Each structure stands twice: as C-alpha cells, then as structure tokens.
Amino acid sequence: MAAPAGVATAARPVHTAPTPLEPVLTRTREELAAVLGSLTGTRALVMTMGSLHEGHLSLVREAQARADHVVVTIYVNPLQFGPGEDFEAYPRDLEADLALLARAGVDVVFAPSDAEMYPTPPLVRIDPGPVASVLEGRTRPGHFAGVLQVVAKVLNLVRPDLAVFGAKDAQQLALVRTLVRDLDLGVEIVGVPIRREADGLAMSSRNAYLSADERASALALVGALRAGADAADRGGEAALTAARAVLEAADGVALDYLALVDPGTFLPLDDGAHTGPGLLAVAARVGRTRLIDNLTVQLGPRHP
Ligand code: AMP
C-alpha cells in the first residue's frame, strides 16, 4: 500500500522500493489517522507489545481472514507493568517485528513512543472491576487497569470493526470483552486459541529470557494443565490435585497460582461438584521469568 504524503514509510530502508505488501509504519496519532483515512473497507486491530512470534501471527491471520485491512500496534505499555516488573528489560526489536509483519502482509503498523501515547499523565482512569483483582490481578495490582487504559485508547485511535486477542491472556480477553460491553464501544472482540511450541510450551515473548534448563523446567506448566485435564472427569479437586503434583515435582518452578475458575466470571470452581467447562490457569516463576498458561478442561464424567 502506498503511504500518503507526510507519513513515515520506514518499514524498510528508503533505497529499496516498497512492495505492495509492505506495512506502513506510523509513529504518531496524526500519521495513523492519515493512513486510516486512506483505507476503504473493514479493518481489524491486533494489539501487541512486539517481540513477535507465531502466537501473534495467528492473531494477524485471524484478523486478515475477517477484515479488509489489519492494523497491528506495537507498544510496551508502561501502565500495565508494576514496580520491579520487567518493563525496562522487556524484549524490543522493531526491525525484526516489521520484517515479520511485512511477510505476513499487514497493512499498517502503529508503534508510538510513550510521549505520543501519554502526552500527559492520564487523569481519567478505567476501573476494571472485580475480575481484575483475582489471579493475574492479585499478583499484579494495577495491571489490568493499565491494560484496559491502553486498549480503550487504541480502540479509539484505530476505530476497528473488530479486534483480535489471544486466549493466552484469558483474563485479559475476558476483561476486554467486559470493557467493550460495559462502555458500549461497538467493536467485535475475537479470541484466538493459544499457539504452542511442538513440545507444548505456550509461545511467549518472555520465553526469550529462559536458559536451556529453564526452558525444560517451563514445560511443567503445560504438563500440569494437561494432567489436570486428564483428571477432570473426576471433578475439580482431582484436576487441581493432578496439576499441582506435576508442578511440585518440577525443578526450578516457583508456583504463583494454580486455579480452576469459571471461564466467564473467573470465580473459583474448586468445590468438586461443578460439571462442564472450567479454565485451569497457572502462573509460575522459572528462574527470574514469570510465565502464564491456561487450558479449558471438561469437569465431570465423560460421555462416550
Ligand atoms: P503481548 O505482545 O504479549 O501483549 O500479546 C499480544 C496479543 O497476542 C495478546 O492478545 C496475547 O494474548 C496474544 N498472544 C501472545 N502469545 C500468544 C500465544 N502463544 N497464542 C495466542 N495468542 C497469543
């Protein structure tokens, strides 16, 4: 796509001719607005923090299947990181990300600076409600308020017909759906299943932090979830016990939480009596790296 006058086209060096599939890189809201104004048809949004992998690309492909144009944002949002978390260390490689997105045929990339995103400290804040204080929100106070603040801003800047989020961050996906419903934002939210490595590890930008030994230990997360799923026909307590046993047997894995919750409300489902779908969610530190994963399990007797 040709860039309108005044819009940065820096997805590749200026001496090479842009191909029709090259994304237009926009760094400011004005540049973004100019490009969006030149598009016709529907558009889908994929929000990322960059350091892109196949998981992100599966969101892009879902977006491409559902809309005429895809806007990918790359922004490490400081508001969703707490003190002592990895905001500074978070892997950033815009050039590699742009190359991947060019190959994927993405139209537009929005990669703002912090000053562009938050020219003044935001005074009006979004209260994400009770779901934001359990699981991830309990360990990371303020995290979901920061997530929803940036999601609301980017939805307003891009005005997409639909936005695609990964089930990897299941609680985030649920909260984004609630945000859109409660504030009548008028955008369709599409969830995409977790992409995993061949050995089952959930893809994550943070996997880049892991040493070879830690990478092996990290398999305990998916191993625990699968053990829980296998035991789920005997009920919630059995699923949690089976999953916990895998995590306790693993070397170098410090459990943050393991929980079985209602996939919609995120309220606990560990009374043993519940049947039907439940979300088994885990967070753990492997070395200095905090990883999360989840799996939907079927609680109660299997019907042949
Ligand atoms: P992040 O860059 O980690 O903020 O992720 C951006 C989006 O990609 C979020 O909607 C994530 O849930 C999604 N995502 C990240 N990893 C995966 C994965 N392994 N499978 C599916 N979606 C993912």
Side-chain angles (χ1 to χ4, degrees):
M1 199 193 75
V7 171
T9 58
R12 61 162 64 168
V14 282
H15 56 268
T16 54
T19 67
L21 294 180
E22 188 106 337
V24 178
L25 172 61
T26 63
R27 307 302 301 250
T28 66
R29 59 195 70 219
E30 289 77 20
E31 289 174 2
L32 176 66
V35 176
L36 295 179
S38 73
L39 302 180
T40 54
T42 55
R43 56 183 179 247
L45 169 67
V46 177
M47 291 184 64
T48 81
M49 299 202 297
S51 201
L52 301 180
H53 50 67
E54 262 304 312
H56 297 112
L57 295 181
S58 67
L59 271 56
V60 166
R61 284 191 284 272
E62 185 67 33
Q64 287 170 324
R66 290 172 178 260
D68 298 319
H69 303 283
V70 174
V71 179
V72 174
T73 61
I74 297 176
Y75 181 59
V76 185
N77 173 36
L79 253 51
Q80 68 191 67
F81 288 78
E85 292 188 355
D86 58 345
F87 173 67
E88 266 87 28
Y90 197 85
R92 293 164 172 86
D93 190 346
L94 184 59
E95 225 170 284
D97 290 344
L98 291 172
L100 273 181
L101 294 175
R103 246 175 284 145
V106 165
D107 302 56
V108 183
V109 173
F110 179 48
S113 64
D114 290 340
E116 182 65 27
M117 208 60 196
Y118 301 109
T120 55
L123 299 176
V124 174
R125 299 297 187 112
I126 291 174
D127 176 353
V131 171
S133 58
V134 298
L135 304 183
E136 280 301 283
R138 186 160 165 199
T139 304
R140 306 183 69 189
H143 170 67
F144 287 118
V147 168
L148 294 195
Q149 189 87 22
V150 81
V151 168
K153 281 170 76 73
V154 172
L155 285 174
N156 281 328
L157 289 170
V158 176
R159 307 243 167 205
D161 297 279
L162 60 107
V164 184
F165 290 84
K168 165 86 181 345
D169 300 277
Q171 201 175 353
Q172 167 178 284
L173 173 58
L175 280 163
V176 169
R177 288 191 197 281
T178 307
L179 170 82
V180 167
R181 183 196 67 201
D182 287 356
L183 298 186
D184 287 311
L185 296 185
V187 57
E188 182 189 355
I189 301 300
V190 175
V192 168
I194 301 178
R195 279 297 293 263
R196 299 182 179 279
E197 306 286 356
D199 59 8
L201 183 69
M203 291 182 180
S204 165
S205 306
R206 290 189 169 98
N207 291 349
Y209 297 145
L210 299 171
S211 69
D213 283 351
E214 289 169 348
R215 169 87 183 53
S217 297
L219 286 174
L221 275 76
V222 63
L225 296 176
R226 288 176 174 169
D230 285 345
D233 58 333
R234 288 182 278 117
E237 276 304 337
L240 284 166
T241 302
R244 200 170 296 116
V246 173
L247 292 159
E248 280 169 2
D251 273 341
V253 176
L255 184 61
D256 178 352
Y257 62 77
L258 171 72
L260 182 63
V261 296
D262 179 299
T265 63
F266 282 81
L267 292 174
L269 280 184
D270 49 11
D271 62 4
H274 185 86
T275 58
L279 187 81
L280 196 52
V282 63
R285 254 177 214 289
V286 180
R288 295 167 61 90
T289 306
R290 187 170 181 281
L291 299 174
I292 60 171
D293 200 350
N294 67 79
L295 191 65
T296 302
V297 303
Q298 291 301 324
L299 297 163
R302 289 193 187 105
H303 300 292

